[in-house]
Amino acid sequence: METFIAQTPFLQLACSCDNAVEAMSLIREQQPDIVFLDINMPNLTGMELARLLQEQPGPLPKIIFTTAYNHYAIEGYRVNAVDYLLKPFSYEEFLRAANKVLQMSEEAANQYHSVTADDEFIFLKVEYQWVRISLKDILYIESLKDYVKVHFEDAQKSVMSLISLKALEEKLPASKFMRINRSFIVPLEKINSISKNSIFINKTEITVGEQYKETFKTIVEKWLK
């Protein structure tokens, strides 16, 4: 399991436990997004732990059960498990289950705050907390596989969030931000200069992708009128 987690860019192992009692304490303390829960554990089963977690106040982690016995599947879904991995499972099966959680997180993020042209901020999940990001402070946004990196004027303050560039693009006001290639979104007001195929934000040159050129050209023509 730890090997699979290490192979997955959008997952980071917070902790691992040998029993459900220890797991419950750490889940309360660290509030992870996902818990991979083995049903067969000493003293308290994974299924019993899942029921206890549902009774606790605060946000619930997404649960993915792992077990060698398939007769627990129906019971697992009764406690709102995202998925159920039957041992031995492959990395492909593991990744498919983890991607379900990623998709659910992105959908929840989009519902959490719908940005309009008048809004001045968004919220992004950074590690284990929601962070308020002022739109006027964003220098540009870069895609890094399943994460985005938000760059600011102060390079030391950049943040990483587990969300796709497409999902973040949908959260941002189109009148202020534009995706200019597969990997970058830029705030239009931060563009310092434009060449034939690139834009410059401070000293950073970003190429305008082929499929985005016409839209970008239309915007530039409006500026030059």
Side-chain angles (χ1 to χ4, degrees):
M1 178 71 73
E2 292 184 14
T3 301
F4 285 174
I5 291 172
Q7 289 177 238
T8 309
F10 59 86
L11 294 181
Q12 180 179 353
L13 181 64
C15 60
S16 60
C17 307
D18 295 324
N19 63 78
V21 175
E22 182 186 5
M24 173 169 278
S25 175
L26 286 171
I27 289 169
R28 287 173 179 166
E29 178 185 329
Q30 301 200 22
Q31 296 187 354
D33 295 314
I34 310 175
V35 173
F36 292 92
L37 203 53
D38 197 319
I39 289 178
N40 298 295
M41 291 189 288
N43 302 322
L44 195 68
T45 69
M47 198 67 68
E48 290 168 334
L49 173 57
R51 293 194 195 98
L52 288 173
L53 288 173
Q54 288 186 317
E55 297 171 2
Q56 303 299 312
L60 287 173
K62 300 293 187 292
I63 293 175
I64 297 174
F65 282 115
T66 66
T67 182
Y69 306 99
N70 59 13
H71 60 270
Y72 287 108
I74 294 176
E75 192 175 356
Y77 290 117
R78 285 175 181 163
V79 293
N80 297 320
V82 173
D83 212 338
Y84 183 95
L85 293 171
L86 189 63
K87 298 177 183 179
F89 49 86
S90 66
Y91 178 66
E92 181 182 357
E93 292 170 313
F94 170 88
L95 185 59
R96 189 180 300 118
N99 273 326
K100 286 184 182 179
V101 178
L102 177 62
Q103 184 177 356
M104 292 168 70
S105 297
E106 289 183 350
E107 290 172 355
N110 284 334
Q111 293 172 2
Y112 183 80
H113 185 66
S114 179
V115 181
T116 69
D118 295 327
D119 285 330
E120 298 179 352
F121 62 88
I122 58 172
F123 279 93
L124 289 179
K125 192 160 191 184
V126 179
E127 295 183 348
Y128 300 110
Q129 59 184 337
W130 288 95
V131 175
R132 176 172 163 148
I133 307 291
S134 175
L135 297 183
K136 65 181 178 59
D137 293 336
I138 297 174
L139 194 61
Y140 58 89
I141 301 165
E142 179 182 8
S143 173
L144 299 173
K145 292 188 177 179
D146 298 300
Y147 287 81
V148 297
K149 184 175 185 179
V150 182
H151 296 262
F152 302 101
E153 295 280 357
D154 183 349
Q156 295 181 345
K157 292 185 178 179
S158 62
V159 298
M160 299 270 287
S161 180
L162 178 58
I163 185 174
S164 70
L165 196 66
K166 183 178 186 300
L168 181 53
E169 180 184 9
E170 292 171 354
K171 289 167 64 70
L172 295 167
S175 62
K176 296 180 180 179
F177 289 83
M178 180 182 174
R179 186 167 180 173
I180 62 168
N181 61 38
R182 295 180 64 183
S183 300
F184 286 88
I185 294 173
V186 301
L188 297 173
E189 66 175 14
K190 294 295 174 67
I191 296 175
N192 300 120
S193 59
I194 303 166
S195 67
K196 183 177 180 181
N197 296 311
S198 301
I199 61 103
F200 292 83
I201 297 179
N202 292 350
K203 295 181 179 180
T204 301
E205 179 180 5
I206 304 173
T207 302
V208 180
E210 194 65 38
Q211 71 183 88
Y212 302 91
K213 283 183 178 178
E214 283 302 315
T215 303
F216 186 68
K217 180 181 177 182
T218 301
I219 292 173
V220 171
E221 287 174 349
K222 288 181 180 178
W223 289 348
L224 298 177
K225 285 182 179 179

